[in-house]
Amino acid sequence: MSDTSADLVILGGGSGGYACAFRAAELGLSVIVVEKDKLGGTCLHRGCIPTKALLHAAEIADNVREGDQFGVKSSLEGIDINGVNSYKDGVIAQLYKGLQGLAKLNKVKMVEGTGTFVAPNAVDVDGTRYTGKNVVLASGSYAKTLPGLDIGGRIITSDQALNLDHVPERVVVLGGGVIGVEFASVWRSFGAEVTIVEALPRLVPLEDEYASKQLERAFRKRGIKFKTGVRFTGATQTGDAVTVSLESGEQFEADLLLVAVGRGPNTAAMGYEEAGVKMDRGFVLTDERLRTNLPNVYAVGDIVPGLQLAHRGFQQGIFVAEQIAGQNPKVIDEAGIPRVTYCKPEVASVGLTEAAAREKYGDVQTLVYDLAGNGKSKILKTSGGVKVIKAPDGPVVGMTLVGERVGELIGEAQLIYGWEAYPEDVAPLIHAHPTQTEAIGEAFLALAGKPLHVHG
């Protein structure tokens, strides 16, 4: 490798880009990573990690507020948002330092600056051309807004929400997907009045309808208001408030409007289309092996159509590195990527929803095990359940879990799905008592025809 040429040039140092870089280096390839901001990308600095730190602080606030339920005398004096931000930023800083160390350890050359894809084998950074036998496009995503809705003042996206220096008293959240319900959950735990507006008929609309119903029930109990199936029509700001208008004629006044309508592919002005990359609505199109239409040019992460999840990009990065190194890795099953929404309660899923399974297989078998029968869930005072979807005369094709901490259970659910397991395969497995993993075990005992802690 010279200073400006390598086996791989990677445009973007987020989850997909750095995973590709580190794995390629392990396989003996020389790597240059171009990153205009910081190694780790959106997930580490403006996404997964900071939001989950806020959610953990929110969980502690709830535990203190609800201590009497467990015989612990406690009271919440308030939220020190500067302290919360210091804790959050400390987590980010430690992980960032670790990534920088791994880059040096793997001898990955980091180039700071805005990269432009100028040819199938080249990326330009401030007038310097970096060439690679292979190029990986990994430029990530940005927080979207709606046409005519300008971000600024009291209208913010998740980028600004992560660094607020105060806890708002009243918030309207535009969007009831993952980002929207997570921030709604945080702010409610911090004491804010929260209203979610979602144009589709239910919260977390991409999840199984069972999960939406469970989450909506829990949010009502927590005092989080939501309007579903109604469209946003506009927002106006004054000095001390923002007024949000809906198609129904309703209006809501709040301190802040959080725009959480999803993330768009960060591909504008990157040179992709000009260099001949085939695209659709800003996304880079690839085949199942993540190859673009240009030779030796790959794309990973949020710029590739599909789930915009850090761990998807991470796995895609590893896949591409191994593909370039000639290892012929197994194609990633998109449906087998686990999905977790970290609100209170959490929603976790893998595989197909019931609706998608019925569309694919026709009749399917479903079973829900209610967490009311699970000892550890009783101890935690959480409600929810485990839903299993089975193909007719076939294996398990989907699982959805709702309840506090169920994100930690999705690994077993992913193994069951990836294994193409039948209920009879899983039912004999022993789950430690008392744990929430027993809920998965009980669901499969019931599906195998030997229910124990199942009512009705």
Side-chain angles (χ1 to χ4, degrees):
M1 178 175 73
S2 73
D3 284 345
T4 58
S5 65
D7 294 317
L8 272 78
V9 173
I10 302 172
L11 184 48
S15 299
Y18 83 70
C20 185
F22 294 174
R23 182 62 180 135
E26 286 177 351
L27 295 171
L29 302 176
S30 56
V31 184
I32 295 172
V33 174
V34 177
E35 172 55 54
K36 67 178 181 180
D37 192 4
K38 293 180 178 179
L39 187 63
T42 294
C43 174
L44 175 55
H45 300 285
R46 298 177 302 281
C48 322
I49 297 301
T51 55
K52 278 54 184 180
L54 291 181
L55 282 155
H56 183 60
E59 179 185 10
I60 292 173
D62 287 331
N63 288 342
V64 172
R65 187 184 290 114
E66 298 162 2
D68 284 353
Q69 296 182 27
F70 305 92
V72 177
K73 295 295 183 182
S74 60
S75 61
L76 183 65
E77 293 183 9
I79 303 297
D80 173 10
I81 197 64
N82 290 328
V84 171
N85 285 333
S86 177
Y87 151 69
K88 164 180 65 70
D89 295 341
V91 172
I92 295 168
Q94 289 177 324
L95 292 172
Y96 179 46
K97 184 177 180 180
L99 278 184
Q100 290 175 304
L102 286 171
K104 290 180 181 177
L105 182 66
N106 284 296
K107 296 181 172 59
V108 171
K109 178 179 175 61
M110 297 298 305
V111 176
E112 293 184 12
T114 300
T116 304
F117 182 63
V118 293
N121 69 337
V123 172
D124 180 90
V125 185
D126 301 326
T128 301
R129 178 171 286 209
Y130 295 87
T131 59
K133 296 176 183 177
N134 303 272
V135 173
V136 180
L137 309 178
S139 47
S141 62
Y142 66 93
K144 291 199 301 185
T145 186
L146 297 177
L149 183 58
D150 296 328
I151 303 302
R154 296 183 178 275
I155 302 175
I156 64 174
T157 69
S158 57
D159 289 346
Q160 295 80 42
L162 285 169
N163 294 301
L164 289 179
D165 60 2
H166 66 287
V167 177
E169 293 184 9
R170 303 166 300 167
V171 186
V172 173
V173 177
L174 182 56
V178 174
I179 297 171
V181 299
E182 287 187 351
F183 273 100
S185 191
V186 167
W187 281 325
R188 185 58 184 155
S189 295
F190 285 174
E193 294 180 12
V194 183
T195 302
I196 303 170
V197 175
E198 170 56 56
L200 293 175
R202 52 192 176 88
L203 297 182
V204 288
L206 298 183
E207 294 290 346
D208 195 281
E209 189 172 354
Y210 165 76
S212 297
K213 289 180 178 178
Q214 291 288 318
L215 185 61
E216 288 172 2
R217 183 180 299 126
F219 272 20
R220 287 190 193 97
K221 189 174 180 180
R222 293 185 61 194
I224 298 175
K225 300 173 184 176
F226 51 89
K227 295 285 183 179
T228 56
V230 61
R231 292 188 177 278
F232 163 88
T233 56
T236 56
Q237 298 189 59
T238 59
D240 58 359
V242 56
T243 301
V244 178
S245 301
L246 307 184
E247 198 173 49
S248 61
E250 293 177 280
Q251 290 188 329
F252 298 94
E253 189 175 88
D255 302 317
L256 291 175
L257 169 61
L258 172 68
V259 182
V261 293
R263 298 188 65 83
N266 189 23
T267 56
M270 301 289 291
Y272 297 169
E273 203 159 17
E274 294 80 356
V277 176
K278 190 174 181 181
M279 304 181 72
D280 179 32
R281 293 173 297 172
F283 288 96
V284 176
L285 300 181
T286 71
D287 64 9
E288 64 178 5
R289 305 199 76 82
L290 300 171
R291 297 173 292 206
T292 71
N293 60 303
L294 300 181
N296 302 317
V297 178
Y298 300 79
V300 300
D302 288 356
I303 63 172
V304 178
L307 295 169
Q308 291 179 311
L309 298 170
H311 47 281
R312 173 183 181 252
F314 185 87
Q315 188 61 34
Q316 287 179 334
I318 294 171
F319 176 93
V320 165
E322 294 178 350
Q323 171 82 6
I324 290 170
Q327 294 201 338
N328 194 32
K330 183 180 178 181
V331 170
I332 297 169
D333 175 11
E334 289 276 317
I337 298 170
R339 310 172 291 272
V340 184
T341 304
Y342 295 88
C343 52
K344 179 184 178 179
E346 291 182 352
V347 176
S349 61
V350 68
L352 303 179
T353 63
E354 180 178 346
R358 290 192 183 281
E359 185 176 332
K360 182 173 182 177
Y361 297 104
D363 190 28
V364 295
Q365 183 180 1
T366 67
L367 183 136
V368 174
Y369 175 78
D370 197 303
L371 291 185
N374 177 257
K376 186 60 180 286
S377 296
K378 280 290 189 186
I379 291 167
L380 295 173
K381 287 187 176 289
T382 187
S383 60
V386 175
K387 180 175 181 177
V388 183
I389 303 155
K390 178 184 174 297
D393 301 317
V396 171
V397 296
M399 290 181 65
T400 293
L401 300 84
V402 182
E404 291 190 47
R405 305 188 185 182
V406 297
E408 303 300 327
L409 309 184
I410 200 62
E412 181 177 0
Q414 183 189 24
L415 288 173
I416 291 167
Y417 169 85
W419 175 16
E420 296 183 344
Y422 285 69
E424 295 77 14
D425 297 323
V426 182
L429 300 180
I430 300 170
H431 293 81
H433 177 75
T435 64
Q436 286 185 292
T437 62
E438 289 179 284
I440 293 176
E442 292 283 353
F444 280 91
L445 282 169
L447 268 179
K450 41 187 178 182
L452 292 183
H453 297 94
V454 178
H455 300 273

